[in-house]
Amino acid sequence: MQSLELFLHERYVGIVVPNLRDRTRVSLEVDGTYQPEVLLSESFTVLPGFRPPKEAVSNFLGGYVPEGNQRERMAARRHIDTNDLFALLNEFGGSIAGAVNLRRADESPRYCPAYEPLDNQALADKLRQALKDSDQGIPDDSRSTLPGYQPKVLVAKFDEQWVYPHGRAHSTHILKPQVPSRPSRIFDEHYSHLLTKHLGMSSYSSDIRDADGVLYLAIGRFDRQVENGVVRLIHQEDMAQAMGLDWLDTDVKFEDSSRPNDPARATMRRIATSLGQIPGGSTAVEQWVRQVTYNLAIGNNDAHAKNVALMHLATETQLSQIYDAVPNLFQDGLINWNLALSVDGQFDHRRISIEHLLAEVNAWGVIPERRAIAAITETLIALDDAIAEVTPPIGVSEGLVDQLQWNIRQLRTGQEIGQRKR
């Protein structure tokens, strides 16, 4: 039977094998000598010599593979079935989010990561390919991937030089090309990055650049560090993985407005409960309240369970930096007032108020109301100050800054966000 060797931080965990009766599932056989130093996942326990439940393992590993049309395109290019989890991991599991990687059994023990220098023309070609094919623009020998729908290119940066990873060599940056139908999106996302960095909610780099006439957003990966020319990994899993949501259904990361509180889907409360169960979880929940407040204030209706993540460190598990926080509600063609996750049962962004948000947090029963009020209030005040101090990049959506200030003012005065007349 085929197998893949699973490593966490270069430490051998065990082998992953396909389920021949159900190709959407795999099993993990943990090595008898494995002694964990970092938590692999919140969704199952790893014990030396045992097999964790295949459902939990499959949903965890499946959470790292491409989604939607990207998975369809990338799977078709490799001539594998879109839902064959083992085949997807075999093709793309060499370098995924966090510190997990899956190695083929025949890999040489003398493996050395290979990188190809990229000049402006070569980089532009890859960005154009990602746009044309709606995927990640990877060559036939690449075993890298990230979840998500937006066209992107994974690269590394050494000494200010972009290089392209081959095989399972690790990337350090995500490059998102400007999509012609939504030209302001990369500028809006960059502006949000600048605001979160000013607020201390993120620390990764973000820059708008040009490669032979192709504009792109370059984002430094917060699960990667470069030390002496070597890419070091930081382990993470998103909340959809941590909660064991079905990897096959890309909609489970959203709450269903027709079936609120569906146990198969993510909700604010489920995420809060999961965060509250980690050691020191009340701190993570408070930080998440700040992230929720920020997302509501900027009009990010795509703040779903895969856009919230845990960082599993040697000393602790903590909430990740905020990421993919984009003010979607102000981009032409993306106006959908429904939130990814409801707040106190309310999905319509225009109907949200501080009262709704406090009621939602209080229902979790994880942190006292006074801490919730402080987190919400401090975030809104700090964001208001950040907007006054951070210059928005040229190219952001028209009226975006005015709309953000409107949202903050409405929330701080106890009103519903409503809809500002342009």
Side-chain angles (χ1 to χ4, degrees), residues 226-232:
V226 178
E227 299 176 3
N228 299 319
V230 177
V231 181
R232 303 295 183 191

Side-chain angles (χ1 to χ4, degrees), residues 103-148:
R103 305 177 187 177
R104 293 169 176 165
D106 60 354
E107 181 179 299
S108 169
R110 294 187 296 275
Y111 169 82
C112 183
Y115 293 94
E116 169 194 351
L118 292 172
D119 59 21
N120 258 7
Q121 181 62 57
L123 179 58
D125 289 344
K126 292 193 178 298
L127 292 166
R128 291 190 182 103
Q129 180 190 338
L131 281 171
K132 175 178 174 290
D133 296 335
S134 299
D135 63 13
Q136 298 174 23
I138 61 174
D140 291 342
D141 70 342
S142 174
R143 296 192 63 230
S144 301
T145 191
L146 280 179

Side-chain angles (χ1 to χ4, degrees), residues 268-282:
M268 287 268 188
R269 186 167 190 163
R270 285 193 68 186
I271 292 175
T273 300
S274 297
L275 290 174
Q277 290 173 347
I278 67 177
S282 65

Side-chain angles (χ1 to χ4, degrees), residues 97-277:
V100 170
N101 62 82
L102 293 123
R103 305 177 187 177
R104 293 169 176 165
D106 60 354
E107 181 179 299
S108 169
R110 294 187 296 275
Y111 169 82
C112 183
Y115 293 94
E116 169 194 351
L118 292 172
D119 59 21
N120 258 7
Q121 181 62 57
L123 179 58
D125 289 344
K126 292 193 178 298
L127 292 166
R128 291 190 182 103
Q129 180 190 338
L131 281 171
K132 175 178 174 290
D133 296 335
S134 299
D135 63 13
Q136 298 174 23
I138 61 174
D140 291 342
D141 70 342
S142 174
R143 296 192 63 230
S144 301
T145 191
L146 280 179
Y149 285 82
Q150 192 175 353
K152 62 178 74 74
V153 175
L154 304 179
V155 299
K157 188 179 183 183
F158 301 124
D159 298 325
E160 299 305 312
Q161 167 71 50
W162 291 128
V163 296
Y164 196 75
H166 287 275
R168 63 174 183 85
H170 302 302
S171 63
T172 62
H173 286 70
I174 303 165
L175 309 185
K176 297 182 178 182
Q178 184 182 40
V179 178
S181 61
R182 295 169 182 165
S184 65
R185 181 182 175 90
I186 60 171
F187 299 101
D188 293 352
E189 184 170 353
H190 178 47
Y191 181 43
S192 178
H193 287 165
L194 296 177
L195 291 174
T196 59
K197 197 166 186 177
H198 191 278
L199 292 169
M201 299 176 76
S202 70
S203 60
Y204 51 89
S205 63
S206 171
D207 300 286
I208 298 289
R209 300 193 175 202
D210 181 293
D212 193 36
V214 181
L215 290 176
Y216 64 95
L217 174 62
I219 307 167
R221 293 184 59 169
F222 58 79
D223 62 342
R224 301 288 188 261
Q225 291 180 342
V226 178
E227 299 176 3
N228 299 319
V230 177
V231 181
R232 303 295 183 191
L233 311 183
I234 304 170
H235 188 40
Q236 72 164 64
E237 67 172 332
D238 63 50
M239 289 307 300
Q241 293 171 292
M243 296 187 296
L245 301 185
D246 187 358
W247 77 276
L248 273 174
D249 187 351
T250 56
D251 288 335
V252 295
K253 61 189 179 185
F254 302 102
E255 185 176 357
D256 186 350
S257 58
S258 65
R259 292 188 60 198
N261 299 311
D262 181 346
R265 287 179 174 246
T267 64
M268 287 268 188
R269 186 167 190 163
R270 285 193 68 186
I271 292 175
T273 300
S274 297
L275 290 174
Q277 290 173 347

Side-chain angles (χ1 to χ4, degrees), residues 1-2 17-27 54 58 80-90 247-248:
M1 181 182 292
Q2 287 181 296
V17 295
N19 185 315
L20 300 182
R21 294 183 180 180
D22 182 356
R23 303 299 293 195
T24 69
R25 299 292 179 254
V26 296
S27 295
K54 67 176 181 297
S58 301
I80 59 174
D81 187 89
T82 308
N83 297 330
D84 188 332
L85 180 54
F86 183 85
L88 289 167
L89 295 172
N90 185 53
W247 77 276
L248 273 174

